[in-house]
Amino acid sequence: MTPPFGLDPTHFRLTAAPGSDEDVLIMKVHGFLDYGYADCFLAAATEHLEGTPGLRALHLDCSDLDGLDSMGLAMLLMLHRRTTAAHVTLYLDARPPSLDRMLDITGTLDHLAPHHAATTSGHAEPHRMAYRHTSEDDTPLDRAGQGHRSSGSDSSG
C-alpha cells in the first residue's frame, strides 16, 4: 500500500531508549509502517526485546506514526505475540486517532490496547457505527436471530 499523498515513503525509523525503570524499554515509531518496512520493524523490535534481559514492559510510542497498512498491522500483532510469549507487556502509547480508528475497524483495539480507555491521549472515543439487526418486517432480532414478540395478549382475536 502506498502511503497517503504528501508522506515520504522512505521515512521510517524505530528508535529505542531505556525507560525510567531498567525493566522498561521505550521504542519510538517515526513514519509510515507499511509493507516495505514491516519486516525491518519486527526484526528491530524483536532484537531489542530479546536483547534486554529482565524486560517487563515495552512501550511503543506511536506519536510520530504517520499511518500503517495491513502489513504494518500484522507486524504489530506479531510483536504482541512475541512480547506475550516473553512475558513482556506491550503498550501502544500516544496513539494518533488514525491508529485507534484502524485498530477499532479491524477489531484489534481491545487486543492490542486493552487499556485504551485510559490511554487515548485525550481524544474522544472512536465513533462506532450502530447496527440493529432486524427481520424482513423490521422487527428487532435477538441474539439467536429470532424476532421479539410481544408477551402481552394478542388483540387480533
Side-chain angles (χ1 to χ4, degrees), residues 110-145:
D110 289 334
H111 182 70
L112 288 174
H115 311 80
H116 67 89
T119 60
T120 55
S121 64
H123 59 76
E125 279 291 312
H127 296 288
R128 299 181 198 275
M129 291 182 60
Y131 183 78
R132 182 178 65 146
H133 296 279
T134 58
S135 66
E136 290 178 10
D137 65 351
D138 203 34
T139 305
L141 298 175
D142 62 16
R143 292 181 188 257

mmCIF file of all heavy atoms in Angstrom, residues 110-145:
data_model
loop_
_atom_site.group_PDB
_atom_site.id
_atom_site.type_symbol
_atom_site.label_atom_id
_atom_site.label_comp_id
_atom_site.label_asym_id
_atom_site.label_seq_id
_atom_site.Cartn_x
_atom_site.Cartn_y
_atom_site.Cartn_z
ATOM 1 N N ASP A 110 -9.070 -3.655 21.317
ATOM 2 C CA ASP A 110 -9.096 -4.254 22.654
ATOM 3 C C ASP A 110 -7.991 -5.285 22.839
ATOM 4 O O ASP A 110 -7.546 -5.530 23.951
ATOM 5 C CB ASP A 110 -10.455 -4.895 22.934
ATOM 6 C CG ASP A 110 -11.555 -3.861 23.121
ATOM 7 O OD1 ASP A 110 -11.236 -2.725 23.521
ATOM 8 O OD2 ASP A 110 -12.717 -4.185 22.855
ATOM 9 N N HIS A 111 -7.537 -5.890 21.751
ATOM 10 C CA HIS A 111 -6.476 -6.893 21.819
ATOM 11 C C HIS A 111 -5.107 -6.228 22.002
ATOM 12 O O HIS A 111 -4.335 -6.626 22.863
ATOM 13 C CB HIS A 111 -6.490 -7.738 20.547
ATOM 14 C CG HIS A 111 -5.469 -8.825 20.530
ATOM 15 N ND1 HIS A 111 -5.550 -9.936 21.350
ATOM 16 C CD2 HIS A 111 -4.345 -8.982 19.797
ATOM 17 C CE1 HIS A 111 -4.512 -10.716 21.124
ATOM 18 N NE2 HIS A 111 -3.768 -10.162 20.189
ATOM 19 N N LEU A 112 -4.816 -5.225 21.185
ATOM 20 C CA LEU A 112 -3.506 -4.577 21.231
ATOM 21 C C LEU A 112 -3.417 -3.477 22.275
ATOM 22 O O LEU A 112 -2.317 -3.143 22.720
ATOM 23 C CB LEU A 112 -3.142 -4.001 19.859
ATOM 24 C CG LEU A 112 -2.783 -5.020 18.792
ATOM 25 C CD1 LEU A 112 -2.584 -4.333 17.446
ATOM 26 C CD2 LEU A 112 -1.526 -5.785 19.170
ATOM 27 N N ALA A 113 -4.543 -2.902 22.637
ATOM 28 C CA ALA A 113 -4.540 -1.811 23.612
ATOM 29 C C ALA A 113 -5.672 -2.017 24.618
ATOM 30 O O ALA A 113 -6.637 -1.265 24.636
ATOM 31 C CB ALA A 113 -4.686 -0.476 22.888
ATOM 32 N N PRO A 114 -5.551 -3.046 25.462
ATOM 33 C CA PRO A 114 -6.641 -3.334 26.386
ATOM 34 C C PRO A 114 -6.900 -2.203 27.373
ATOM 35 O O PRO A 114 -7.973 -2.104 27.933
ATOM 36 C CB PRO A 114 -6.190 -4.606 27.108
ATOM 37 C CG PRO A 114 -4.730 -4.676 26.911
ATOM 38 C CD PRO A 114 -4.439 -3.975 25.622
ATOM 39 N N HIS A 115 -5.943 -1.324 27.553
ATOM 40 C CA HIS A 115 -6.090 -0.196 28.474
ATOM 41 C C HIS A 115 -6.487 1.061 27.706
ATOM 42 O O HIS A 115 -6.281 2.153 28.175
ATOM 43 C CB HIS A 115 -4.776 0.068 29.204
ATOM 44 C CG HIS A 115 -4.168 -1.150 29.798
ATOM 45 N ND1 HIS A 115 -3.436 -2.059 29.067
ATOM 46 C CD2 HIS A 115 -4.204 -1.635 31.053
ATOM 47 C CE1 HIS A 115 -3.039 -3.037 29.849
ATOM 48 N NE2 HIS A 115 -3.492 -2.813 31.048
ATOM 49 N N HIS A 116 -7.051 0.906 26.495
ATOM 50 C CA HIS A 116 -7.250 2.043 25.600
ATOM 51 C C HIS A 116 -8.133 3.140 26.171
ATOM 52 O O HIS A 116 -7.940 4.292 25.855
ATOM 53 C CB HIS A 116 -7.764 1.603 24.226
ATOM 54 C CG HIS A 116 -9.140 1.035 24.223
ATOM 55 N ND1 HIS A 116 -10.251 1.807 24.073
ATOM 56 C CD2 HIS A 116 -9.582 -0.238 24.344
ATOM 57 C CE1 HIS A 116 -11.319 1.038 24.095
ATOM 58 N NE2 HIS A 116 -10.944 -0.202 24.258
ATOM 59 N N ALA A 117 -9.070 2.838 27.024
ATOM 60 C CA ALA A 117 -9.929 3.895 27.573
ATOM 61 C C ALA A 117 -9.120 4.876 28.405
ATOM 62 O O ALA A 117 -9.388 6.063 28.418
ATOM 63 C CB ALA A 117 -11.042 3.289 28.408
ATOM 64 N N ALA A 118 -8.089 4.378 29.067
ATOM 65 C CA ALA A 118 -7.272 5.247 29.917
ATOM 66 C C ALA A 118 -6.119 5.887 29.158
ATOM 67 O O ALA A 118 -5.481 6.795 29.661
ATOM 68 C CB ALA A 118 -6.712 4.435 31.087
ATOM 69 N N THR A 119 -5.830 5.426 27.938
ATOM 70 C CA THR A 119 -4.647 5.922 27.234
ATOM 71 C C THR A 119 -4.953 6.467 25.855
ATOM 72 O O THR A 119 -4.125 6.402 24.974
ATOM 73 C CB THR A 119 -3.612 4.789 27.088
ATOM 74 O OG1 THR A 119 -4.210 3.732 26.341
ATOM 75 C CG2 THR A 119 -3.107 4.295 28.410
ATOM 76 N N THR A 120 -6.105 7.043 25.663
ATOM 77 C CA THR A 120 -6.458 7.546 24.344
ATOM 78 C C THR A 120 -5.853 8.911 24.067
ATOM 79 O O THR A 120 -6.201 9.551 23.095
ATOM 80 C CB THR A 120 -7.986 7.617 24.170
ATOM 81 O OG1 THR A 120 -8.525 8.391 25.235
ATOM 82 C CG2 THR A 120 -8.608 6.250 24.109
ATOM 83 N N SER A 121 -4.955 9.353 24.870
ATOM 84 C CA SER A 121 -4.224 10.611 24.708
ATOM 85 C C SER A 121 -5.163 11.803 24.569
ATOM 86 O O SER A 121 -4.889 12.734 23.827
ATOM 87 C CB SER A 121 -3.235 10.530 23.537
ATOM 88 O OG SER A 121 -3.905 10.361 22.318
ATOM 89 N N GLY A 122 -6.280 11.758 25.269
ATOM 90 C CA GLY A 122 -7.141 12.915 25.348
ATOM 91 C C GLY A 122 -8.167 13.050 24.245
ATOM 92 O O GLY A 122 -9.037 13.881 24.327
ATOM 93 N N HIS A 123 -8.077 12.254 23.191
ATOM 94 C CA HIS A 123 -9.087 12.403 22.152
ATOM 95 C C HIS A 123 -10.290 11.533 22.468
ATOM 96 O O HIS A 123 -10.235 10.610 23.252
ATOM 97 C CB HIS A 123 -8.528 12.111 20.753
ATOM 98 C CG HIS A 123 -7.971 10.738 20.582
ATOM 99 N ND1 HIS A 123 -8.755 9.636 20.442
ATOM 100 C CD2 HIS A 123 -6.688 10.299 20.543
ATOM 101 C CE1 HIS A 123 -8.003 8.569 20.315
ATOM 102 N NE2 HIS A 123 -6.753 8.948 20.380
ATOM 103 N N ALA A 124 -11.382 11.870 21.852
ATOM 104 C CA ALA A 124 -12.636 11.180 22.122
ATOM 105 C C ALA A 124 -12.584 9.740 21.648
ATOM 106 O O ALA A 124 -11.787 9.387 20.782
ATOM 107 C CB ALA A 124 -13.779 11.913 21.428
ATOM 108 N N GLU A 125 -13.454 8.940 22.214
ATOM 109 C CA GLU A 125 -13.577 7.555 21.767
ATOM 110 C C GLU A 125 -13.890 7.537 20.278
ATOM 111 O O GLU A 125 -14.604 8.393 19.784
ATOM 112 C CB GLU A 125 -14.719 6.862 22.519
ATOM 113 C CG GLU A 125 -14.334 6.375 23.890
ATOM 114 C CD GLU A 125 -13.368 5.214 23.856
ATOM 115 O OE1 GLU A 125 -13.581 4.247 23.111
ATOM 116 O OE2 GLU A 125 -12.377 5.285 24.575
ATOM 117 N N PRO A 126 -13.365 6.564 19.541
ATOM 118 C CA PRO A 126 -13.672 6.497 18.117
ATOM 119 C C PRO A 126 -15.170 6.308 17.907
ATOM 120 O O PRO A 126 -15.846 5.669 18.707
ATOM 121 C CB PRO A 126 -12.919 5.267 17.630
ATOM 122 C CG PRO A 126 -12.082 4.806 18.750
ATOM 123 C CD PRO A 126 -12.507 5.509 19.992
ATOM 124 N N HIS A 127 -15.659 6.878 16.824
ATOM 125 C CA HIS A 127 -17.072 6.721 16.512
ATOM 126 C C HIS A 127 -17.325 5.286 16.099
ATOM 127 O O HIS A 127 -16.581 4.712 15.336
ATOM 128 C CB HIS A 127 -17.470 7.668 15.380
ATOM 129 C CG HIS A 127 -17.338 9.096 15.766
ATOM 130 N ND1 HIS A 127 -18.191 9.709 16.647
ATOM 131 C CD2 HIS A 127 -16.430 10.033 15.418
ATOM 132 C CE1 HIS A 127 -17.832 10.950 16.807
ATOM 133 N NE2 HIS A 127 -16.764 11.179 16.079
ATOM 134 N N ARG A 128 -18.377 4.716 16.601
ATOM 135 C CA ARG A 128 -18.757 3.362 16.242
ATOM 136 C C ARG A 128 -20.086 3.440 15.504
ATOM 137 O O ARG A 128 -20.970 4.180 15.883
ATOM 138 C CB ARG A 128 -18.900 2.497 17.486
ATOM 139 C CG ARG A 128 -17.608 2.394 18.261
ATOM 140 C CD ARG A 128 -17.829 1.494 19.468
ATOM 141 N NE ARG A 128 -16.799 1.700 20.445
ATOM 142 C CZ ARG A 128 -15.624 1.088 20.423
ATOM 143 N NH1 ARG A 128 -15.339 0.253 19.488
ATOM 144 N NH2 ARG A 128 -14.736 1.319 21.353
ATOM 145 N N MET A 129 -20.188 2.658 14.477
ATOM 146 C CA MET A 129 -21.433 2.635 13.725
ATOM 147 C C MET A 129 -22.427 1.744 14.451
ATOM 148 O O MET A 129 -22.098 0.635 14.855
ATOM 149 C CB MET A 129 -21.185 2.106 12.315
ATOM 150 C CG MET A 129 -20.379 3.037 11.467
ATOM 151 S SD MET A 129 -20.144 2.419 9.806
ATOM 152 C CE MET A 129 -21.798 2.275 9.233
ATOM 153 N N ALA A 130 -23.602 2.252 14.626
ATOM 154 C CA ALA A 130 -24.648 1.457 15.265
ATOM 155 C C ALA A 130 -25.283 0.569 14.204
ATOM 156 O O ALA A 130 -25.529 0.994 13.087
ATOM 157 C CB ALA A 130 -25.701 2.373 15.872
ATOM 158 N N TYR A 131 -25.523 -0.662 14.581
ATOM 159 C CA TYR A 131 -26.151 -1.593 13.660
ATOM 160 C C TYR A 131 -27.190 -2.361 14.439
ATOM 161 O O TYR A 131 -26.892 -2.978 15.448
ATOM 162 C CB TYR A 131 -25.124 -2.555 13.066
ATOM 163 C CG TYR A 131 -25.733 -3.496 12.058
ATOM 164 C CD1 TYR A 131 -26.004 -3.073 10.776
ATOM 165 C CD2 TYR A 131 -26.052 -4.803 12.403
ATOM 166 C CE1 TYR A 131 -26.571 -3.917 9.849
ATOM 167 C CE2 TYR A 131 -26.614 -5.661 11.486
ATOM 168 C CZ TYR A 131 -26.874 -5.211 10.206
ATOM 169 O OH TYR A 131 -27.429 -6.051 9.291
ATOM 170 N N ARG A 132 -28.411 -2.314 13.973
ATOM 171 C CA ARG A 132 -29.504 -3.006 14.648
ATOM 172 C C ARG A 132 -29.965 -4.131 13.744
ATOM 173 O O ARG A 132 -30.368 -3.908 12.610
ATOM 174 C CB ARG A 132 -30.643 -2.036 14.912
ATOM 175 C CG ARG A 132 -31.800 -2.653 15.662
ATOM 176 C CD ARG A 132 -32.856 -1.634 15.915
ATOM 177 N NE ARG A 132 -33.413 -1.205 14.637
ATOM 178 C CZ ARG A 132 -34.674 -0.859 14.446
ATOM 179 N NH1 ARG A 132 -35.490 -0.844 15.460
ATOM 180 N NH2 ARG A 132 -35.106 -0.495 13.272
ATOM 181 N N HIS A 133 -29.892 -5.343 14.235
ATOM 182 C CA HIS A 133 -30.357 -6.494 13.468
ATOM 183 C C HIS A 133 -31.879 -6.492 13.450
ATOM 184 O O HIS A 133 -32.506 -6.434 14.503
ATOM 185 C CB HIS A 133 -29.842 -7.800 14.083
ATOM 186 C CG HIS A 133 -28.358 -7.918 14.044
ATOM 187 N ND1 HIS A 133 -27.695 -8.318 12.923
ATOM 188 C CD2 HIS A 133 -27.406 -7.661 14.969
ATOM 189 C CE1 HIS A 133 -26.395 -8.321 13.153
ATOM 190 N NE2 HIS A 133 -26.198 -7.927 14.386
ATOM 191 N N THR A 134 -32.435 -6.550 12.262
ATOM 192 C CA THR A 134 -33.889 -6.590 12.142
ATOM 193 C C THR A 134 -34.294 -7.674 11.165
ATOM 194 O O THR A 134 -33.518 -8.086 10.309
ATOM 195 C CB THR A 134 -34.463 -5.246 11.653
ATOM 196 O OG1 THR A 134 -33.878 -4.931 10.402
ATOM 197 C CG2 THR A 134 -34.210 -4.134 12.644
ATOM 198 N N SER A 135 -35.527 -8.107 11.296
ATOM 199 C CA SER A 135 -36.078 -9.090 10.366
ATOM 200 C C SER A 135 -36.589 -8.356 9.133
ATOM 201 O O SER A 135 -36.528 -7.138 9.043
ATOM 202 C CB SER A 135 -37.204 -9.863 11.038
ATOM 203 O OG SER A 135 -38.277 -8.986 11.301
ATOM 204 N N GLU A 136 -37.157 -9.107 8.205
ATOM 205 C CA GLU A 136 -37.676 -8.507 6.983
ATOM 206 C C GLU A 136 -38.793 -7.516 7.259
ATOM 207 O O GLU A 136 -38.967 -6.542 6.543
ATOM 208 C CB GLU A 136 -38.157 -9.592 6.026
ATOM 209 C CG GLU A 136 -37.013 -10.387 5.447
ATOM 210 C CD GLU A 136 -37.495 -11.501 4.532
ATOM 211 O OE1 GLU A 136 -38.690 -11.544 4.207
ATOM 212 O OE2 GLU A 136 -36.648 -12.322 4.160
ATOM 213 N N ASP A 137 -39.559 -7.746 8.327
ATOM 214 C CA ASP A 137 -40.660 -6.817 8.637
ATOM 215 C C ASP A 137 -40.228 -5.749 9.639
ATOM 216 O O ASP A 137 -41.047 -5.107 10.268
ATOM 217 C CB ASP A 137 -41.889 -7.573 9.141
ATOM 218 C CG ASP A 137 -41.658 -8.270 10.472
ATOM 219 O OD1 ASP A 137 -40.500 -8.317 10.943
ATOM 220 O OD2 ASP A 137 -42.639 -8.778 11.038
ATOM 221 N N ASP A 138 -38.917 -5.543 9.780
ATOM 222 C CA ASP A 138 -38.320 -4.526 10.642
ATOM 223 C C ASP A 138 -38.543 -4.781 12.126
ATOM 224 O O ASP A 138 -38.473 -3.883 12.938
ATOM 225 C CB ASP A 138 -38.812 -3.129 10.261
ATOM 226 C CG ASP A 138 -37.831 -2.045 10.718
ATOM 227 O OD1 ASP A 138 -36.610 -2.307 10.703
ATOM 228 O OD2 ASP A 138 -38.288 -0.951 11.095
ATOM 229 N N THR A 139 -38.822 -6.041 12.490
ATOM 230 C CA THR A 139 -38.936 -6.412 13.889
ATOM 231 C C THR A 139 -37.526 -6.663 14.424
ATOM 232 O O THR A 139 -36.766 -7.411 13.812
ATOM 233 C CB THR A 139 -39.763 -7.709 14.049
ATOM 234 O OG1 THR A 139 -41.018 -7.522 13.416
ATOM 235 C CG2 THR A 139 -39.954 -8.061 15.506
ATOM 236 N N PRO A 140 -37.126 -6.039 15.555
ATOM 237 C CA PRO A 140 -35.785 -6.287 16.086
ATOM 238 C C PRO A 140 -35.561 -7.767 16.377
ATOM 239 O O PRO A 140 -36.479 -8.468 16.803
ATOM 240 C CB PRO A 140 -35.757 -5.481 17.387
ATOM 241 C CG PRO A 140 -36.826 -4.442 17.214
ATOM 242 C CD PRO A 140 -37.875 -5.091 16.355
ATOM 243 N N LEU A 141 -34.344 -8.234 16.124
ATOM 244 C CA LEU A 141 -33.997 -9.630 16.362
ATOM 245 C C LEU A 141 -33.185 -9.749 17.645
ATOM 246 O O LEU A 141 -32.409 -8.868 17.994
ATOM 247 C CB LEU A 141 -33.175 -10.186 15.201
ATOM 248 C CG LEU A 141 -33.849 -10.223 13.837
ATOM 249 C CD1 LEU A 141 -32.871 -10.689 12.771
ATOM 250 C CD2 LEU A 141 -35.054 -11.140 13.882
ATOM 251 N N ASP A 142 -33.332 -10.884 18.341
ATOM 252 C CA ASP A 142 -32.487 -11.146 19.497
ATOM 253 C C ASP A 142 -31.193 -11.789 19.015
ATOM 254 O O ASP A 142 -30.967 -11.960 17.824
ATOM 255 C CB ASP A 142 -33.219 -12.020 20.531
ATOM 256 C CG ASP A 142 -33.598 -13.389 19.999
ATOM 257 O OD1 ASP A 142 -33.051 -13.810 18.950
ATOM 258 O OD2 ASP A 142 -34.443 -14.046 20.637
ATOM 259 N N ARG A 143 -30.308 -12.134 19.925
ATOM 260 C CA ARG A 143 -29.004 -12.706 19.563
ATOM 261 C C ARG A 143 -29.117 -14.010 18.788
ATOM 262 O O ARG A 143 -28.259 -14.349 18.010
ATOM 263 C CB ARG A 143 -28.154 -12.919 20.806
ATOM 264 C CG ARG A 143 -27.727 -11.633 21.444
ATOM 265 C CD ARG A 143 -26.854 -11.934 22.654
ATOM 266 N NE ARG A 143 -26.592 -10.729 23.383
ATOM 267 C CZ ARG A 143 -25.444 -10.077 23.335
ATOM 268 N NH1 ARG A 143 -24.470 -10.518 22.590
ATOM 269 N NH2 ARG A 143 -25.270 -8.983 24.032
ATOM 270 N N ALA A 144 -30.187 -14.757 18.999
ATOM 271 C CA ALA A 144 -30.362 -16.034 18.313
ATOM 272 C C ALA A 144 -30.972 -15.848 16.932
ATOM 273 O O ALA A 144 -31.204 -16.808 16.225
ATOM 274 C CB ALA A 144 -31.235 -16.956 19.151
ATOM 275 N N GLY A 145 -31.258 -14.595 16.550
ATOM 276 C CA GLY A 145 -31.832 -14.333 15.242
ATOM 277 C C GLY A 145 -33.335 -14.476 15.205
ATOM 278 O O GLY A 145 -33.936 -14.506 14.152
#
